[in-house]
Amino acid sequence: MNVSSVKGSMSISSSTSTWKAGDTISDQFPAGLRVLVVDDDPTCLMILEKMLTACLYKVTKCNRAETALSKLRENKNGYDIVLSDVHMPDMDGFKLLEHIGLEMDLPVIMMSADDGKQVVMKGVTHGACDYLIKPVRIEALKNIWQHVVRKRKNEWKEFEQSGSVEEGDRQPKQSDDADYSSSANEGNWKGSKRRKDEEEETDERDDTSTLKKPRVVWSVELHQQFVAAVNQLGIDTVPKKILELMNVPGLTRENVASHLQKYRLYLRRLSGVSQHQSNLSTIISAQDPTFGSLSSLSGLDLQTLAATGQLPAQSLARLQAAGLGRATAKSGIPITLVDQRNIFSFENPKLRFGEGQQQHMTNKQQVNLLHGIPTTMEAKQLVSLRHAAQSVGNMNMQVPPPGPQSSQNNPLLMQMGQQQQQQQSRGQILVDSTINHAPRLSSMGQPILSNGMATNVSSRNGIPENIRAPGYSQTPSMLNFPMNHASELPGNCFPLGSTPGVSNLTSKGAFQEDVNSEIKGSGGFMPSYDVFNDLNQHKPQSWELQNVGIAFDSSQHSNSLQGNLDLTQSALGQQGFSSGQMNGHNRSAAVASKAVFSTGDVKELRSAQNVNQHLNNLLVDNTIRVKSERVCDTSPANIFPDHFGQDDLMSALLKQQESVASSENEFDFDGYSMNNIPV
Amino acid sequence: MERNPIRRQLAIMRQSLFDQGHVDEQFVQLEELQDDANPNFVEEVVTLYYRDSARIILNIEQALERKPFDFRKLDAYMHQFKGSSSSIGAKKVKAESTLFRECCKSGNGEGCMRSFQQLKKEYATLRKKFGAYFQLARQAGPVETASRPK
């Protein structure tokens, strides 16, 4: 990575600068920290406001969670931290926490007069940065800025790790330090942390390399085979049987097992979109870092891509933190995971699937799944991809979408990429494919995911991790469920024709085009699961495409996109996109993606967002956590990434890096040409 | 100055609030938030507290009239009340709230009733004391910070 790229990396610096741009000047930090405080008790609210003002923060108060959420959604970059009461009449504080984590990825501090261990633990598992016991003293509030800094730092670190692990290029980190100097303590701890991270990364990398297996790309065809087998055997079947039935040479039981797990979550999410539990788990799974399993490149790439296009620099930083990082990087994904986990694991901190938290981390091997199909390109993945992309410095990876749209798409990606020029291209590749394939899905998927997530916040600690590994883009449900339209399912995503409620975006080839256009907004939400028309079954509300910020420009870019989807998708997409990404890790991505878009896109996004707002109002709010899950991009045409094993990607990325500036591909990859990637 | 005797008296009143256990350290936090820009901040907060908590008291009373007791609901109300009370530093009221919640958790209906009666008493007593205190405070002008309670 070159320093310049690092400097140029929007995510990090932009996030920082965005934050700075708010009100704070770095040297005045933490003065001006933008705090949103939510408490239904007017007495407490008044006191808190006064205390926070006395700390020189910029305070916004809300007495209702709904109000707070809408404020946050309206102004995604307008706040640095949220303080929320646990017990509120209109919405449980943990639910709000979940939403915020999914959509905006802001640090959240919970407060309560309740100091019982259970409640505090709940805060932890749901992802709160801190838990304050009431009555809150001003001293406790004086230090809340640390959570903002910490989060940014982690995001940066994630980014770095994901980006540099493969390349083994630690230099950017140092430069990143320079960039990321807005935080108060930045310089010092960042540098040291970086170095520490590097060491960790190195270790991980070594381990990973020894354990690397050829990555399995769950192409559309492969997934179809899988689904057919599952349908025949029943969803409760065992991977072994599925494997035998599929009879695909080279496919291992483990591949099938992890894919099955994702699939199950995905189904659960679809069916229980209105039910929190199942959805959540699904989403979590979906979101689970496939990255993890994507082991690094794919996950990262996707994330990067997603991030690139979709996340404004700011969000990128967040995404990074989100832990996209690479599967290899412990800190990378885990952060994302952790966030997700925290968010979702309401009741049950245990890993659902019995996989340790580290699981996803070590899922590199499992990455093979969904490599090509960034279905689970959840925000995290996207984030990591983004990071990866950023580090690579070439965000313009675009999978050449077949057909005319490609030109459309490419510009989108280009835009995204350009912004992140310096970023790793790795992420791009994956993201591209993801984006290409599932723009629609992503937008749709998001809502669904958010739904699921919102609802399922429960326990699935373990799930996210599992899912992550394989980069299941199943989450696409969140992303790209074109709720009502669904007719065109991105071909890439799992053609879950039978999936209820999930509009299968598995569009046949056309999807790509749509995706491309959509990618714009969503930065590559790849509908991992084909959003079938069944989606209609799901109540649109369940989607809560609140922040489906995917800037679907379906009307413009994706001819193949169903008309009806266009507006909704774009609106949703934009929001969902951004929101999806916003989730946990994705927040930065979403934000970043927004920023990444070219002006034109931005406008679209904005308008889309406006539309989204309306749509959100229409849809059930809060249920959908739009997690920027970049659904895998399963468009057939863009599947070729599927064929890349991790190694391939790595080499491709490495190659890419060397030729960062060159956009030799027709696809506007910066030095990244799909053709060049050894399959 | 004629304000001195008032201020002196104010300080004595304030100290007795602490000494008698009516308010705790949190009250000091409120006082410290008071400044020239918000010279009556503490009074405003306490006023807001009494206005808002009256609603909760009413809810609890109504809930206690329905038999059998919905302990979960009662507990939830009291949790709310406790949060409010603790934020202004109402020590005795807060302690009684805790007792009430314990009765709820153990399903002790009688205990809840008794505790609630006691709580209302403390609540009313404190209100009177605050009323007198703030009235004097307005006469005295800016209040000096007295010694902190032990």
Side-chain angles (χ1 to χ4, degrees):
Chain A
M1 300 213 282
N2 35 30
V3 172
S4 60
S5 66
V6 172
K7 284 196 196 293
S9 81
M10 287 175 19
S11 57
I12 309 260
S13 43
S14 62
S15 60
T16 310
S17 54
T18 303
W19 168 44
K20 281 200 297 193
D23 299 290
T24 333
I25 305 175
S26 52
D27 51 340
Q28 286 180 9
F29 180 84
L33 194 73
R34 296 159 305 166
V35 183
L36 178 67
V37 55
V38 190
D39 195 331
D40 64 312
D41 184 328
T43 312
C44 292
L45 199 60
M46 185 175 177
I47 296 172
L48 285 168
E49 189 194 23
K50 192 77 178 69
M51 284 181 171
L52 290 165
T53 308
C55 293
L56 303 180
Y57 298 149
K58 185 161 171 281
V59 188
T60 307
K61 59 176 181 180
C62 295
N63 63 354
R64 291 188 70 240
E66 294 288 348
T67 319
L69 260 184
S70 58
K71 275 193 208 273
L72 287 166
R73 285 178 184 141
E74 280 165 23
N75 189 0
K76 284 193 171 22
N77 302 333
Y79 303 97
D80 296 309
I81 190 166
V82 179
L83 257 66
S84 172
D85 187 32
V86 167
H87 298 274
M88 291 187 285
D90 64 329
M91 186 193 291
D92 181 40
F94 293 116
K95 192 136 185 282
L96 175 66
L97 166 61
E98 196 184 309
H99 276 295
I100 296 177
L102 282 174
E103 298 176 30
M104 294 113 206
D105 193 29
L106 286 173
V108 181
I109 295 179
M110 303 305 293
M111 304 178 289
S112 180
D114 199 344
D115 61 351
K117 201 171 82 163
Q118 316 292 19
V119 188
V120 179
M121 176 58 97
K122 219 176 164 192
V124 172
T125 54
H126 283 85
C129 304
D130 203 352
Y131 190 104
L132 303 177
I133 308 291
K134 285 184 178 177
V136 179
R137 296 172 61 86
I138 194 170
E139 290 82 17
L141 296 177
K142 283 209 169 99
N143 291 328
I144 61 173
W145 57 265
Q146 64 175 293
H147 302 291
V148 178
V149 172
R150 188 177 292 118
K151 208 172 180 90
R152 300 254 169 113
K153 174 178 165 302
N154 287 339
E155 286 174 354
W156 179 250
K157 190 170 73 109
E158 280 298 325
F159 178 73
E160 279 305 314
Q161 289 179 346
S162 53
S164 57
V165 171
E166 284 89 3
E167 296 129 13
D169 183 353
R170 311 282 183 218
Q171 292 165 17
K173 283 188 177 175
Q174 297 310 318
S175 51
D176 291 338
D177 281 338
D179 291 339
Y180 196 62
S181 53
S182 56
S183 291
N185 302 331
E186 245 8 281
N188 300 338
W189 48 251
K190 236 184 194 330
S192 49
K193 192 154 203 338
R194 278 262 164 76
R195 288 188 287 278
K196 196 162 55 114
D197 294 338
E198 291 179 14
E199 289 161 8
E200 290 173 3
E201 287 176 344
T202 312
D203 295 339
E204 285 181 349
R205 201 152 33 123
D206 294 343
D207 294 338
T208 311
S209 50
T210 54
L211 301 169
K212 263 190 233 173
K213 291 188 213 159
R215 183 179 291 192
V216 168
V217 171
W218 281 90
S219 63
V220 176
E221 293 84 10
L222 195 61
H223 178 71
Q224 275 167 348
Q225 275 183 277
F226 169 82
V227 174
V230 169
N231 289 339
Q232 191 172 330
L233 297 165
I235 192 63
D236 293 325
T237 184
V238 292
K240 189 165 185 300
K241 290 197 183 142
I242 299 174
L243 182 68
E244 286 166 6
L245 195 59
M246 284 176 73
N247 196 21
V248 172
L251 195 65
T252 70
R253 200 202 67 81
E254 287 77 22
N255 299 145
V256 175
S258 53
H259 195 71
L260 178 64
Q261 186 179 57
K262 288 191 180 154
Y263 184 59
R264 281 191 178 134
L265 287 170
Y266 166 73
L267 289 182
R268 204 169 304 128
R269 184 166 30 145
L270 292 178
S271 62
V273 116
S274 48
Q275 303 153 19
H276 302 289
Q277 288 297 325
S278 53
N279 291 338
L280 188 57
S281 44
T282 314
I283 294 185
I284 295 185
S285 337
Q287 293 186 345
D288 215 2
T290 347
F291 318 147
S293 51
L294 284 184
S295 66
S296 52
L297 281 187
S298 44
L300 289 174
D301 293 342
L302 284 173
Q303 292 181 348
T304 316
L305 277 181
T308 320
Q310 308 173 350
L311 306 171
Q314 186 182 24
S315 34
L316 181 61
R318 293 214 199 137
L319 286 176
Q320 292 179 350
L324 279 189
R326 329 175 13 118
T328 53
K330 290 187 197 146
S331 50
I333 297 191
I335 296 190
T336 317
L337 277 184
V338 172
D339 294 345
Q340 286 187 346
R341 226 193 342 217
N342 293 337
I343 293 174
F344 299 109
S345 50
F346 278 150
E347 320 299 341
N348 192 357
K350 293 203 262 199
L351 293 179
R352 192 165 181 283
F353 293 104
E355 295 187 352
Q357 298 187 349
Q358 299 307 316
Q359 181 96 31
H360 68 277
M361 296 310 277
T362 53
N363 274 342
K364 305 185 234 185
Q365 294 131 37
Q366 294 182 18
V367 172
N368 26 24
L369 290 184
L370 300 180
H371 177 55
I373 303 176
T375 40
T376 35
M377 284 289 286
E378 301 182 4
K380 291 195 210 164
Q381 287 179 341
L382 291 178
V383 174
S384 52
L385 281 181
R386 191 158 157 170
H387 298 320
Q390 288 180 349
S391 48
V392 171
N394 102 88
M395 295 302 287
N396 283 334
M397 289 199 333
Q398 289 191 7
V399 174
Q405 283 95 4
S406 55
S407 56
Q408 292 174 355
N409 296 331
N410 291 338
L412 284 178
L413 289 175
M414 274 286 271
Q415 289 167 358
M416 298 198 290
Q418 284 169 358
Q419 311 241 351
Q420 311 210 353
Q421 269 300 331
Q422 328 265 330
Q423 326 268 336
Q424 296 176 354
S425 52
R426 261 196 312 205
Q428 287 188 343
I429 291 184
L430 287 180
V431 175
D432 273 344
S433 51
T434 316
I435 296 176
N436 289 337
H437 298 300
R440 227 166 344 156
L441 287 181
S442 51
S443 55
M444 299 305 225
Q446 284 184 347
I448 293 197
L449 283 179
S450 38
N451 244 343
M453 306 226 303
T455 49
N456 284 334
V457 173
S458 44
S459 55
R460 307 262 191 208
N461 285 332
I463 298 180
E465 297 181 30
N466 297 335
I467 307 220
R468 283 219 195 160
Y472 230 47
S473 38
Q474 299 245 339
T475 25
S477 60
M478 290 219 324
L479 295 177
N480 299 319
F481 284 135
M483 302 226 266
N484 305 313
H485 318 296
S487 41
E488 297 182 355
L489 295 173
N492 303 331
C493 294
F494 299 101
L496 299 173
S498 53
T499 311
V502 174
S503 47
N504 295 322
L505 288 180
T506 33
S507 48
K508 346 346 192 197
F511 180 72
Q512 288 179 357
E513 297 153 357
D514 297 336
V515 172
N516 292 330
S517 56
E518 293 183 340
I519 293 183
K520 241 206 313 195
S522 53
F525 280 110
M526 301 295 230
S528 47
Y529 283 105
D530 296 344
V531 181
F532 289 153
N533 295 320
D534 294 345
L535 186 62
N536 293 328
Q537 298 174 17
H538 292 290
K539 298 173 270 192
Q541 285 137 24
S542 57
W543 282 20
E544 305 186 328
L545 295 173
Q546 290 186 329
N547 296 313
V548 181
I550 302 183
F552 273 10
D553 226 24
S554 35
S555 50
Q556 296 175 19
H557 303 277
S558 50
N559 310 330
S560 54
L561 279 179
Q562 297 169 357
N564 47 11
L565 279 174
D566 292 354
L567 208 252
T568 307
Q569 285 181 345
S570 45
L572 292 177
Q574 287 186 358
Q575 284 208 356
F577 170 76
S578 42
S579 55
Q581 299 190 332
M582 299 306 237
N583 295 331
H585 326 293
N586 300 328
R587 279 184 247 156
S588 51
V591 178
S593 55
K594 283 198 266 190
V596 174
F597 287 4
S598 62
T599 9
D601 295 338
V602 170
K603 288 182 203 143
E604 287 168 350
L605 272 172
R606 295 212 183 111
S607 55
Q609 283 175 356
N610 293 335
V611 177
N612 272 338
Q613 290 295 340
H614 296 305
L615 287 171
N616 290 340
N617 295 336
L618 296 175
L619 298 170
V620 179
D621 285 347
N622 307 326
T623 46
I624 300 184
R625 288 190 201 228
V626 181
K627 239 186 177 203
S628 48
E629 303 191 341
R630 307 312 176 109
V631 178
C632 56
D633 128 64
T634 50
S635 59
N638 298 330
I639 292 202
F640 57 82
D642 298 353
H643 304 299
F644 301 139
Q646 287 185 12
D647 298 332
D648 292 337
L649 271 179
M650 284 199 53
S651 48
L653 284 172
L654 287 170
K655 273 197 221 160
Q656 178 87 37
Q657 289 222 321
E658 288 159 8
S659 57
V660 169
S662 63
S663 43
E664 45 191 341
N665 302 329
E666 55 204 22
F667 307 128
D668 297 327
F669 277 173
D670 286 348
Y672 235 122
S673 165
M674 291 313 259
N675 300 325
N676 296 338
I677 301 175
V679 175
Chain B
M1 282 170 46
E2 61 184 4
R3 286 167 71 188
N4 278 344
I6 298 180
R7 282 198 182 178
R8 226 184 357 252
Q9 180 163 4
L10 194 66
I12 292 169
M13 265 181 117
R14 179 184 176 280
Q15 197 58 42
S16 89
L17 280 176
F18 283 103
D19 294 342
Q20 290 172 9
H22 289 293
V23 299
D24 58 24
E25 179 67 20
Q26 187 63 19
F27 189 75
V28 180
Q29 292 267 316
L30 295 192
E31 288 179 320
E32 286 174 352
L33 288 172
Q34 187 158 291
D35 52 20
D36 293 339
N38 301 82
N40 300 310
F41 177 72
V42 185
E43 182 181 356
E44 285 164 16
V45 174
V46 172
T47 307
L48 181 58
Y49 162 75
Y50 272 98
R51 193 162 64 225
D52 184 61
S53 57
R55 178 180 52 86
I56 307 176
I57 296 273
L58 191 61
N59 287 339
I60 297 177
E61 268 175 352
Q62 287 171 349
L64 286 175
E65 283 164 14
R66 297 184 213 113
K67 306 274 182 1
F69 288 157
D70 183 348
F71 287 114
R72 217 173 63 85
K73 207 171 191 182
L74 285 170
D75 185 63
Y77 283 137
M78 193 48 78
H79 172 81
Q80 240 185 307
F81 183 79
K82 182 183 171 186
S84 252
S85 307
S86 66
S87 69
I88 67 156
K91 195 172 174 183
K92 283 190 178 174
V93 172
K94 176 183 174 182
E96 205 58 49
S97 311
T98 306
L99 284 177
F100 183 92
R101 290 192 75 197
E102 279 167 18
C103 290
C104 284
K105 291 196 176 81
S106 57
N108 181 356
E110 272 300 308
C112 280
M113 302 269 288
R114 272 199 304 271
S115 176
F116 188 58
Q117 295 308 316
Q118 185 62 25
L119 183 145
K120 281 198 286 185
K121 246 202 286 190
E122 299 287 352
Y123 180 75
T125 303
L126 183 59
R127 183 192 218 137
K128 279 208 231 30
K129 287 191 180 275
F130 270 142
Y133 177 74
F134 288 125
Q135 197 176 12
L136 195 62
R138 283 185 176 272
Q139 292 176 35
V143 181
E144 298 168 29
T145 308
S147 57
R148 285 178 168 238
K150 295 137 299 277

PDB file of all heavy atoms in Angstrom, chain A residues 661-677:
ATOM      1  N   ALA A 661      -2.602   1.994  -9.832  1.00  0.00           N
ATOM      2  CA  ALA A 661      -3.195   3.059 -10.634  1.00  0.00           C
ATOM      3  C   ALA A 661      -3.793   2.574 -11.931  1.00  0.00           C
ATOM      4  O   ALA A 661      -4.666   3.210 -12.491  1.00  0.00           O
ATOM      5  CB  ALA A 661      -2.125   4.094 -10.932  1.00  0.00           C
ATOM      6  N   SER A 662      -3.338   1.522 -12.345  1.00  0.00           N
ATOM      7  CA  SER A 662      -3.805   1.132 -13.672  1.00  0.00           C
ATOM      8  C   SER A 662      -5.210   0.601 -13.640  1.00  0.00           C
ATOM      9  O   SER A 662      -5.548  -0.275 -12.891  1.00  0.00           O
ATOM     10  CB  SER A 662      -2.882   0.068 -14.229  1.00  0.00           C
ATOM     11  OG  SER A 662      -2.945  -1.081 -13.403  1.00  0.00           O
ATOM     12  N   SER A 663      -5.955   1.161 -14.416  1.00  0.00           N
ATOM     13  CA  SER A 663      -7.306   0.636 -14.523  1.00  0.00           C
ATOM     14  C   SER A 663      -7.388   0.010 -15.874  1.00  0.00           C
ATOM     15  O   SER A 663      -7.971   0.527 -16.811  1.00  0.00           O
ATOM     16  CB  SER A 663      -8.335   1.749 -14.391  1.00  0.00           C
ATOM     17  OG  SER A 663      -7.923   2.862 -15.117  1.00  0.00           O
ATOM     18  N   GLU A 664      -6.774  -1.060 -15.901  1.00  0.00           N
ATOM     19  CA  GLU A 664      -6.678  -1.668 -17.200  1.00  0.00           C
ATOM     20  C   GLU A 664      -7.943  -2.379 -17.599  1.00  0.00           C
ATOM     21  O   GLU A 664      -8.201  -2.602 -18.753  1.00  0.00           O
ATOM     22  CB  GLU A 664      -5.546  -2.671 -17.177  1.00  0.00           C
ATOM     23  CG  GLU A 664      -5.640  -3.492 -15.900  1.00  0.00           C
ATOM     24  CD  GLU A 664      -4.396  -4.298 -15.728  1.00  0.00           C
ATOM     25  OE1 GLU A 664      -3.722  -4.472 -16.728  1.00  0.00           O
ATOM     26  OE2 GLU A 664      -4.104  -4.744 -14.616  1.00  0.00           O
ATOM     27  N   ASN A 665      -8.640  -2.727 -16.629  1.00  0.00           N
ATOM     28  CA  ASN A 665      -9.780  -3.516 -16.983  1.00  0.00           C
ATOM     29  C   ASN A 665     -10.844  -2.707 -17.603  1.00  0.00           C
ATOM     30  O   ASN A 665     -11.023  -1.548 -17.358  1.00  0.00           O
ATOM     31  CB  ASN A 665     -10.375  -4.140 -15.749  1.00  0.00           C
ATOM     32  CG  ASN A 665      -9.347  -4.949 -15.079  1.00  0.00           C
ATOM     33  OD1 ASN A 665      -8.515  -5.468 -15.759  1.00  0.00           O
ATOM     34  ND2 ASN A 665      -9.395  -5.024 -13.792  1.00  0.00           N
ATOM     35  N   GLU A 666     -11.535  -3.404 -18.311  1.00  0.00           N
ATOM     36  CA  GLU A 666     -12.718  -2.783 -18.844  1.00  0.00           C
ATOM     37  C   GLU A 666     -13.652  -2.513 -17.692  1.00  0.00           C
ATOM     38  O   GLU A 666     -14.573  -1.746 -17.783  1.00  0.00           O
ATOM     39  CB  GLU A 666     -13.381  -3.760 -19.805  1.00  0.00           C
ATOM     40  CG  GLU A 666     -13.645  -5.081 -19.103  1.00  0.00           C
ATOM     41  CD  GLU A 666     -13.732  -6.205 -20.095  1.00  0.00           C
ATOM     42  OE1 GLU A 666     -13.188  -6.027 -21.180  1.00  0.00           O
ATOM     43  OE2 GLU A 666     -14.333  -7.229 -19.788  1.00  0.00           O
ATOM     44  N   PHE A 667     -13.365  -3.219 -16.665  1.00  0.00           N
ATOM     45  CA  PHE A 667     -14.269  -3.091 -15.554  1.00  0.00           C
ATOM     46  C   PHE A 667     -13.861  -1.995 -14.625  1.00  0.00           C
ATOM     47  O   PHE A 667     -14.403  -1.862 -13.554  1.00  0.00           O
ATOM     48  CB  PHE A 667     -14.305  -4.382 -14.764  1.00  0.00           C
ATOM     49  CG  PHE A 667     -14.604  -5.511 -15.646  1.00  0.00           C
ATOM     50  CD1 PHE A 667     -13.804  -6.612 -15.660  1.00  0.00           C
ATOM     51  CD2 PHE A 667     -15.665  -5.438 -16.497  1.00  0.00           C
ATOM     52  CE1 PHE A 667     -14.082  -7.662 -16.485  1.00  0.00           C
ATOM     53  CE2 PHE A 667     -15.933  -6.494 -17.335  1.00  0.00           C
ATOM     54  CZ  PHE A 667     -15.146  -7.611 -17.305  1.00  0.00           C
ATOM     55  N   ASP A 668     -12.921  -1.327 -15.019  1.00  0.00           N
ATOM     56  CA  ASP A 668     -12.520  -0.240 -14.162  1.00  0.00           C
ATOM     57  C   ASP A 668     -11.905  -0.686 -12.876  1.00  0.00           C
ATOM     58  O   ASP A 668     -12.002  -0.008 -11.866  1.00  0.00           O
ATOM     59  CB  ASP A 668     -13.720   0.641 -13.791  1.00  0.00           C
ATOM     60  CG  ASP A 668     -14.281   1.264 -15.020  1.00  0.00           C
ATOM     61  OD1 ASP A 668     -13.481   1.546 -15.929  1.00  0.00           O
ATOM     62  OD2 ASP A 668     -15.482   1.441 -15.086  1.00  0.00           O
ATOM     63  N   PHE A 669     -11.358  -1.770 -12.946  1.00  0.00           N
ATOM     64  CA  PHE A 669     -10.649  -2.142 -11.734  1.00  0.00           C
ATOM     65  C   PHE A 669      -9.389  -1.365 -11.728  1.00  0.00           C
ATOM     66  O   PHE A 669      -8.756  -1.180 -12.738  1.00  0.00           O
ATOM     67  CB  PHE A 669     -10.245  -3.602 -11.795  1.00  0.00           C
ATOM     68  CG  PHE A 669     -11.366  -4.470 -11.375  1.00  0.00           C
ATOM     69  CD1 PHE A 669     -11.243  -5.821 -11.491  1.00  0.00           C
ATOM     70  CD2 PHE A 669     -12.518  -3.941 -10.875  1.00  0.00           C
ATOM     71  CE1 PHE A 669     -12.240  -6.646 -11.119  1.00  0.00           C
ATOM     72  CE2 PHE A 669     -13.534  -4.767 -10.496  1.00  0.00           C
ATOM     73  CZ  PHE A 669     -13.382  -6.121 -10.618  1.00  0.00           C
ATOM     74  N   ASP A 670      -9.011  -1.005 -10.666  1.00  0.00           N
ATOM     75  CA  ASP A 670      -7.724  -0.370 -10.621  1.00  0.00           C
ATOM     76  C   ASP A 670      -6.718  -1.464 -10.640  1.00  0.00           C
ATOM     77  O   ASP A 670      -6.508  -2.150  -9.661  1.00  0.00           O
ATOM     78  CB  ASP A 670      -7.557   0.410  -9.319  1.00  0.00           C
ATOM     79  CG  ASP A 670      -8.381   1.653  -9.401  1.00  0.00           C
ATOM     80  OD1 ASP A 670      -8.829   1.948 -10.497  1.00  0.00           O
ATOM     81  OD2 ASP A 670      -8.559   2.305  -8.381  1.00  0.00           O
ATOM     82  N   GLY A 671      -6.194  -1.601 -11.720  1.00  0.00           N
ATOM     83  CA  GLY A 671      -5.171  -2.619 -11.815  1.00  0.00           C
ATOM     84  C   GLY A 671      -5.753  -3.981 -11.525  1.00  0.00           C
ATOM     85  O   GLY A 671      -5.060  -4.942 -11.373  1.00  0.00           O
ATOM     86  N   TYR A 672      -6.947  -4.009 -11.408  1.00  0.00           N
ATOM     87  CA  TYR A 672      -7.535  -5.265 -11.054  1.00  0.00           C
ATOM     88  C   TYR A 672      -8.361  -5.741 -12.201  1.00  0.00           C
ATOM     89  O   TYR A 672      -9.347  -5.152 -12.535  1.00  0.00           O
ATOM     90  CB  TYR A 672      -8.496  -5.075  -9.880  1.00  0.00           C
ATOM     91  CG  TYR A 672      -8.139  -5.965  -8.771  1.00  0.00           C
ATOM     92  CD1 TYR A 672      -7.841  -5.435  -7.534  1.00  0.00           C
ATOM     93  CD2 TYR A 672      -8.071  -7.328  -8.971  1.00  0.00           C
ATOM     94  CE1 TYR A 672      -7.512  -6.275  -6.526  1.00  0.00           C
ATOM     95  CE2 TYR A 672      -7.748  -8.140  -7.958  1.00  0.00           C
ATOM     96  CZ  TYR A 672      -7.477  -7.624  -6.734  1.00  0.00           C
ATOM     97  OH  TYR A 672      -7.165  -8.430  -5.709  1.00  0.00           O
ATOM     98  N   SER A 673      -7.924  -6.728 -12.695  1.00  0.00           N
ATOM     99  CA  SER A 673      -8.723  -7.220 -13.796  1.00  0.00           C
ATOM    100  C   SER A 673      -9.133  -8.622 -13.465  1.00  0.00           C
ATOM    101  O   SER A 673      -8.338  -9.450 -13.077  1.00  0.00           O
ATOM    102  CB  SER A 673      -7.877  -7.212 -15.070  1.00  0.00           C
ATOM    103  OG  SER A 673      -8.500  -7.995 -16.064  1.00  0.00           O
ATOM    104  N   MET A 674     -10.318  -8.818 -13.595  1.00  0.00           N
ATOM    105  CA  MET A 674     -10.807 -10.130 -13.244  1.00  0.00           C
ATOM    106  C   MET A 674     -10.092 -11.134 -14.097  1.00  0.00           C
ATOM    107  O   MET A 674      -9.845 -12.243 -13.709  1.00  0.00           O
ATOM    108  CB  MET A 674     -12.294 -10.209 -13.491  1.00  0.00           C
ATOM    109  CG  MET A 674     -13.029  -9.338 -12.510  1.00  0.00           C
ATOM    110  SD  MET A 674     -12.434  -9.611 -10.842  1.00  0.00           S
ATOM    111  CE  MET A 674     -13.691 -10.634 -10.259  1.00  0.00           C
ATOM    112  N   ASN A 675      -9.820 -10.687 -15.222  1.00  0.00           N
ATOM    113  CA  ASN A 675      -9.159 -11.615 -16.119  1.00  0.00           C
ATOM    114  C   ASN A 675      -7.791 -11.966 -15.597  1.00  0.00           C
ATOM    115  O   ASN A 675      -7.263 -13.022 -15.841  1.00  0.00           O
ATOM    116  CB  ASN A 675      -9.015 -10.987 -17.499  1.00  0.00           C
ATOM    117  CG  ASN A 675     -10.380 -10.656 -18.044  1.00  0.00           C
ATOM    118  OD1 ASN A 675     -11.329 -11.383 -17.802  1.00  0.00           O
ATOM    119  ND2 ASN A 675     -10.482  -9.559 -18.751  1.00  0.00           N
ATOM    120  N   ASN A 676      -7.266 -11.057 -14.920  1.00  0.00           N
ATOM    121  CA  ASN A 676      -5.917 -11.294 -14.467  1.00  0.00           C
ATOM    122  C   ASN A 676      -5.855 -12.170 -13.246  1.00  0.00           C
ATOM    123  O   ASN A 676      -4.825 -12.679 -12.886  1.00  0.00           O
ATOM    124  CB  ASN A 676      -5.246  -9.955 -14.119  1.00  0.00           C
ATOM    125  CG  ASN A 676      -5.119  -9.129 -15.347  1.00  0.00           C
ATOM    126  OD1 ASN A 676      -5.137  -9.673 -16.434  1.00  0.00           O
ATOM    127  ND2 ASN A 676      -5.022  -7.826 -15.181  1.00  0.00           N
ATOM    128  N   ILE A 677      -6.916 -12.258 -12.630  1.00  0.00           N
ATOM    129  CA  ILE A 677      -6.861 -13.015 -11.401  1.00  0.00           C
ATOM    130  C   ILE A 677      -6.805 -14.481 -11.726  1.00  0.00           C
ATOM    131  O   ILE A 677      -7.664 -14.997 -12.400  1.00  0.00           O
ATOM    132  CB  ILE A 677      -8.105 -12.746 -10.544  1.00  0.00           C
ATOM    133  CG1 ILE A 677      -8.155 -11.254 -10.246  1.00  0.00           C
ATOM    134  CG2 ILE A 677      -8.069 -13.553  -9.292  1.00  0.00           C
ATOM    135  CD1 ILE A 677      -9.361 -10.863  -9.528  1.00  0.00           C
TER     136      ILE A 677
END
